[in-house]
Amino acid sequence: MGVLNVTPDSFSDGGEFLDPAAAVAHAERMAAEGADLVDVGGESTRPGAEPVRADEELRRVMPVIEQLGQRGTVPLSIDTSKAVVARAATDAGAVLVNDVTALRGDAGMAAAVAESGAEVCLMHMLGEPRTMQDDPRYEDVVSEVKAFLEERLGFAVAHGIPEERVWLDPGIGFGKTLEHNLALLRRLGEIAAVGRPVIVGVSRKRFIGSLTGRAEPDRVAGGVAANVLAFQRGAHMFRVHDVAKTRDALAVAAATVGDAAASDRE
Ligand code: HH2
């Protein structure tokens, strides 16, 4: 899953793709590099980010989604927690709604997803982006994230979203310390054991910087390592800025661990 942020303030690519033509070209580049999906977002969720109004979010993402939808270059997902944005994007062809609030941010989101027939990614986040990195605490981060995702999966199904359309994401960096992120990656198999496919987003994130001492965007190798290990522990989809390098690493990892990783994921 290639990341395409049409925002002025995303932590990595903020401001680069505000021009729809630049955004479309970048999506096509990621597709050529092997992305199976491009995740279009119009609201940054980086720590400390301020919320964006629905009309502004629509203004940012819809021209890009419409153009890419018409060209049909690559399947699209919409990174939003607003029902109105999810509806517009799925009407224009987006096949997955990536909701970092796991259907908690907007009372209309579950119905929007259910009626669209799209898939949905339910992600764990402790608190909200503005404050989530202020001293996050857990008794056991992995069991708590797992219990949360099971509860949200139940909620989605109760609201008419078939279980087969749900992806789960432990939300690396969303209300988590370095140790929390590492525990989640180390024990990702426990999240995969819920029985739905798992998405991980580690790309260029702060915890990679803490481990390598590297500023952004020089965190690619660290992120690739984390994605390979996540693959081995049962992750199915990898949300990344650097598609070509990640694909190469995953191709080698898949050929090497092969059946072991596949059977973990079944
Ligand atoms: N991470 C970010 C945004 N959306 N969605 C999922 N499912 N999983 C993630 O880990 C995830 C996500 C944050 O990264 P980015 O989009 O690069 O930055 P920003 O939120 O500042 O736009």
Side-chain angles (χ1 to χ4, degrees):
M1 173 190 264
V3 179
L4 180 59
N5 288 314
V6 192
T7 62
D9 58 344
S10 287
F11 80 94
S12 174
D13 55 355
E16 271 186 67
F17 306 117
L18 271 176
D19 167 23
V24 168
H26 187 58
E28 295 192 327
R29 193 155 52 236
M30 290 193 288
E33 289 179 0
D36 294 318
L37 202 60
V38 166
D39 189 36
V40 183
E43 176 176 29
S44 173
T45 49
R46 73 176 202 292
E50 291 295 334
V52 172
R53 285 173 35 161
D55 56 350
E56 172 63 13
E57 198 177 325
L58 284 165
R59 198 185 60 74
R60 292 178 185 174
V61 297
M62 286 316 294
V64 177
I65 290 181
E66 277 161 6
Q67 281 185 48
L68 286 168
Q70 276 159 17
R71 291 179 189 225
T73 322
V74 61
L76 299 175
S77 80
I78 176 69
D79 186 353
T80 189
S81 48
K82 296 186 185 72
V84 64
V85 178
R87 279 189 193 277
T90 52
D91 283 351
V95 296
L96 184 143
V97 176
N98 176 22
D99 181 2
V100 298
T101 72
L103 309 177
R104 296 174 301 158
D106 183 330
M109 187 59 125
V113 172
E115 288 160 23
S116 71
E119 304 199 1
V120 65
C121 174
L122 306 176
M123 195 196 80
H124 176 271
M125 168 165 52
L126 185 70
E128 46 156 0
R130 216 165 36 80
T131 52
M132 66 190 177
Q133 289 306 107
D134 300 347
D135 194 24
R137 287 174 195 234
Y138 303 84
E139 286 279 317
D140 174 359
V141 64
V142 181
S143 335
E144 286 169 51
V145 168
K146 179 177 179 182
F148 170 88
L149 293 174
E150 283 173 329
E151 188 274 322
R152 297 321 292 166
L153 173 60
F155 177 91
V157 171
H159 286 78
I161 302 171
E163 181 163 345
E164 311 77 64
R165 295 206 194 123
V166 179
W167 298 72
L168 302 177
D169 185 329
I172 298 296
F174 285 85
K176 280 123 191 154
T177 62
L178 170 62
E179 273 313 318
H180 296 145
N181 290 323
L182 291 175
L184 283 164
L185 288 171
R186 216 174 271 137
R187 292 167 53 197
L188 197 66
E190 294 175 42
I191 306 293
V194 174
R196 297 306 311 146
V198 171
I199 301 184
V200 287
V202 298
S203 187
R204 302 186 185 177
K205 282 188 180 168
R206 190 179 298 180
F207 85 101
I208 307 277
S210 308
L211 293 169
T212 58
R214 300 232 178 245
E216 229 261 299
D218 296 328
R219 298 177 182 163
V220 183
V224 166
N227 277 313
V228 165
L229 292 165
F231 167 77
Q232 195 178 22
R233 287 158 172 76
H236 298 72
M237 180 128 73
F238 309 85
R239 186 178 180 281
V240 299
H241 301 85
D242 306 284
V243 172
K245 291 188 169 80
T246 307
R247 270 229 87 113
D248 283 0
L250 289 172
V252 173
T256 309
V257 286
D259 290 341
S263 57
D264 270 2
R265 288 200 299 280
E266 273 161 12

